[in-house]
């Protein structure tokens, strides 16, 4: 090092040290204290809870341990259907064509295939995946990470939520840990494991973009939106939190070109587990209804009804003799909560009531003529 530059470098080093001392009040700033050796420095969490200090290097999550520990419970799902006149609607590329309005190529009478993903939820071989992955198929096979393959039995599928339950004859299988998507926050890191375009056990990571996304098409599933790269073949695979818990099932993407564009959607795992329990018990899903026609509550409508905020489901009409009519609900009522669960919109009410077992009595808080009243409603089965 040339001697002529040494004084300047010393001055710069002193200024940098003084700036660092002004930004932090760690114990190493006190006289006589030394910074702990690297081996004794407390480990940072996988995803920082607070922003990194100015000038510091932010710590990014490491998913290596998650993939090693939880990836063994992720499986590849392949399905075959032989039918004249085209490919299976659950084929990865056909799924692109179907969702985004592009005419599919003619596949003739050759057997068509579907590739997807899934994950094991019980040691005796129950597996969750997407309904569209196994729709209209004659045979479904499951491949584990150790290359063992099984013919799977379809216990049931629910197109409404896009959840399907499979069963393979095996024991002592690795299983995923089920998490709580309600504790998830936008900005948290998440990871997906699946088989995009057939590339087995691929890992992609990103962050939660939003929660409670409602998509067109009649489904009231409050999707988890992420920027995790999800492509055909990822469908049915798990979405993991940094704790290694499954918090969703990767289901859909939004794209104007047919390729991944940074927006993907996952079904919250609590909804999927509820569906799987019904499929396991009866092979089908029964939904509840209370016999009301709903209207979205606007800010102006809320003000006219004496509400400060546009939150709740506005009852526009009540079916005569239906559950809501028997409970005394009227047009103009605003349902604000059911069994303690807040109702922010009509979609919330439809999801809560639809997920309630028929014959169950629920307690609703209703805004009526400037005050809140309680109502007990016995849910009927949706025909």
């Amino acid at each position: 090092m040339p001697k002529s530059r040494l004084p300047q470098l010393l001055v710069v080093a002193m200024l940098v040290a003084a700036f660092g001392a002004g930004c932090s009040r760690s114990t190493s700033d006190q006289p006589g204290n030394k910074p702990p050796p690297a081996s004794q420095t407390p480990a940072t969490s996988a995803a920082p809870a607070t922003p990194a200090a100015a000038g510091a290097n932010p710590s990014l999550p490491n998913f290596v341990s998650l993939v090693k520990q939880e990836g063994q419970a992720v499986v590849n799902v392949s399905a075959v259907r032989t039918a004249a006149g085209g490919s299976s609607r659950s084929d990865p590329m056909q799924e692109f064509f179907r969702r985004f309005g592009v005419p599919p190529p003619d596949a003739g009478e050759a057997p068509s295939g579907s590739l997807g993903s899934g994950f094991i939820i019980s040691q005796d071989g129950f597996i969750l995946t997407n309904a569209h992955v196994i729709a209209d198929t004659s045979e479904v096979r499951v491949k584990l990470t150790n290359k063992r393959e099984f013919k799977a039995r379809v216990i049931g599928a629910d197109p409404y939520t896009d959840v399907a339950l499979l069963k393979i004859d095996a024991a002592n299988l690795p299983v995923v840990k089920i998490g709580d998507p309600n504790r998830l926050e936008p900005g948290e890191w998440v990871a997906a494991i699946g088989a995009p375009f057939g590339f087995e056990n691929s890992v992609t990571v990103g962050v939660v973009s939003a929660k409670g996304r409602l998509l067109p098409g009649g489904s009231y599933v409050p999707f988890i939106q992420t920027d995790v790269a999800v492509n055909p073949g990822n469908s049915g695979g798990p979405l993991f939190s940094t704790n290694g818990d499954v918090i969703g099932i990767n289901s859909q993407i939004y794209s104007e070109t047919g390729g991944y564009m940074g927006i993907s959607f996952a079904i919250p795992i609590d909804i999927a587990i509820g569906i799987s329990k019904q499929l396991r018990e009866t092979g089908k899903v029964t939904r509840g209804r209370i016999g009301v026609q709903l209207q979205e509550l606007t800010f102006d409508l809320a003000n006219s009804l004496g509400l400060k905020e546009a939150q709740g489901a506005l009852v526009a009409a009540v079916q005569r003799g239906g559950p809501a009519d028997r409970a005394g609900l009227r047009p103009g009522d605003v349902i604000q909560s059911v069994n303690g669960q807040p109702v922010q919109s009509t979609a919330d009410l439809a999801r809560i009531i639809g997920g309630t077992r028929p014959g169950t009595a629920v307690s609703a808080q209703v805004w009526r003529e400037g005050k809140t009243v309680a109502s007990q409603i016995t849910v009927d089965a949706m025909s």
Side-chain angles (χ1 to χ4, degrees), residues 68-285:
K68 289 181 178 179
Q69 295 172 11
E70 308 300 330
Q72 299 178 49
V74 181
V75 302
N76 297 333
V77 179
S78 59
V80 177
R81 177 177 68 92
T82 302
S87 299
S88 166
R89 63 191 294 260
S90 55
D91 178 272
M93 295 311 299
Q94 299 299 320
E95 184 65 19
F96 273 149
F97 297 133
R98 183 177 68 83
R99 289 181 183 272
F100 305 110
V102 180
D106 184 9
E109 297 185 1
S112 58
S114 165
L115 292 176
S117 304
F119 52 97
I120 307 169
I121 59 173
S122 70
Q123 290 185 327
D124 58 348
F126 282 96
I127 295 169
L128 279 181
T129 186
N130 280 152
H132 75 258
V133 170
I134 53 89
D136 304 322
T137 55
S138 58
E139 180 178 289
V140 178
R141 301 194 67 83
V142 168
K143 184 178 181 181
L144 308 186
T145 55
N146 61 8
K147 308 304 180 184
R148 296 169 65 195
E149 291 193 34
F150 299 85
K151 183 176 180 179
R153 181 161 47 99
V154 178
I155 302 300
D158 179 38
Y160 183 87
T161 54
D162 199 20
V163 173
L165 183 66
L166 309 179
K167 178 69 170 67
I168 60 175
D169 293 328
N172 300 318
L173 295 172
V175 298
V176 297
K177 296 183 296 182
I178 303 300
D180 183 3
N182 296 310
R183 301 179 62 181
L184 199 65
E185 296 291 342
E188 288 190 32
W189 285 91
V190 285
I193 303 179
F197 299 107
F199 292 101
E200 302 176 359
N201 309 117
S202 297
V203 183
T204 51
V205 301
V207 299
V208 177
S209 303
K211 293 172 59 179
R213 288 292 196 212
L214 300 177
L215 305 182
S219 173
Y220 291 106
V221 174
F223 286 97
I224 302 168
Q225 179 187 332
T226 77
D227 69 351
V228 177
V230 171
N231 285 292
N234 275 117
S235 292
L239 183 70
F240 289 99
S241 70
T242 52
N243 295 325
D245 300 330
V246 174
I247 43 84
I249 303 179
N250 297 307
S251 175
Q252 299 187 35
I253 64 171
Y254 175 83
S255 175
E256 294 181 348
T257 64
Y260 169 72
M261 295 182 67
I263 300 178
S264 54
F265 300 97
I267 305 159
I269 193 62
D270 55 347
I271 292 177
I273 290 296
I275 294 297
S276 71
K277 289 179 179 178
Q278 289 197 54
L279 293 175
R280 187 170 180 175
E281 293 172 0
T282 65
K284 62 180 182 179
V285 176

Side-chain angles (χ1 to χ4, degrees), residues 57-71:
N57 291 324
S59 99
L60 298 176
N62 188 325
F63 292 96
V64 174
S65 296
L66 183 153
V67 174
K68 289 181 178 179
Q69 295 172 11
E70 308 300 330

Side-chain angles (χ1 to χ4, degrees), residues 297-311 332 334 336 367-372:
L297 192 63
T298 66
F299 187 77
D300 289 339
L301 281 173
N303 281 342
S304 68
L305 295 171
L307 291 167
K308 295 180 180 180
E309 297 182 350
Q311 295 180 353
V334 178
Q336 298 179 309
W367 180 263
R368 177 185 298 161
E369 298 177 354
K371 60 182 180 181
T372 300

Side-chain angles (χ1 to χ4, degrees), residues 285-367:
V285 176
T286 303
R287 290 190 167 79
R289 58 177 288 275
I290 59 172
V292 293
Q293 182 178 341
L294 301 175
Q295 180 178 345
E296 201 65 44
L297 192 63
T298 66
F299 187 77
D300 289 339
L301 281 173
N303 281 342
S304 68
L305 295 171
L307 291 167
K308 295 180 180 180
E309 297 182 350
Q311 295 180 353
L314 176 61
V315 177
V318 178
Q319 179 189 23
R320 182 176 298 178
D325 186 32
R326 296 194 300 267
L329 264 64
R330 318 169 189 167
D333 286 348
V334 178
I335 302 175
Q336 298 179 309
S337 70
V338 176
N339 283 348
Q341 299 183 62
V343 174
Q344 304 287 343
S345 65
T346 58
D348 285 339
L349 183 63
R351 172 176 53 83
I352 294 170
I353 296 300
T356 302
R357 189 180 297 273
T360 303
V362 297
S363 176
Q365 295 294 316
V366 178
W367 180 263

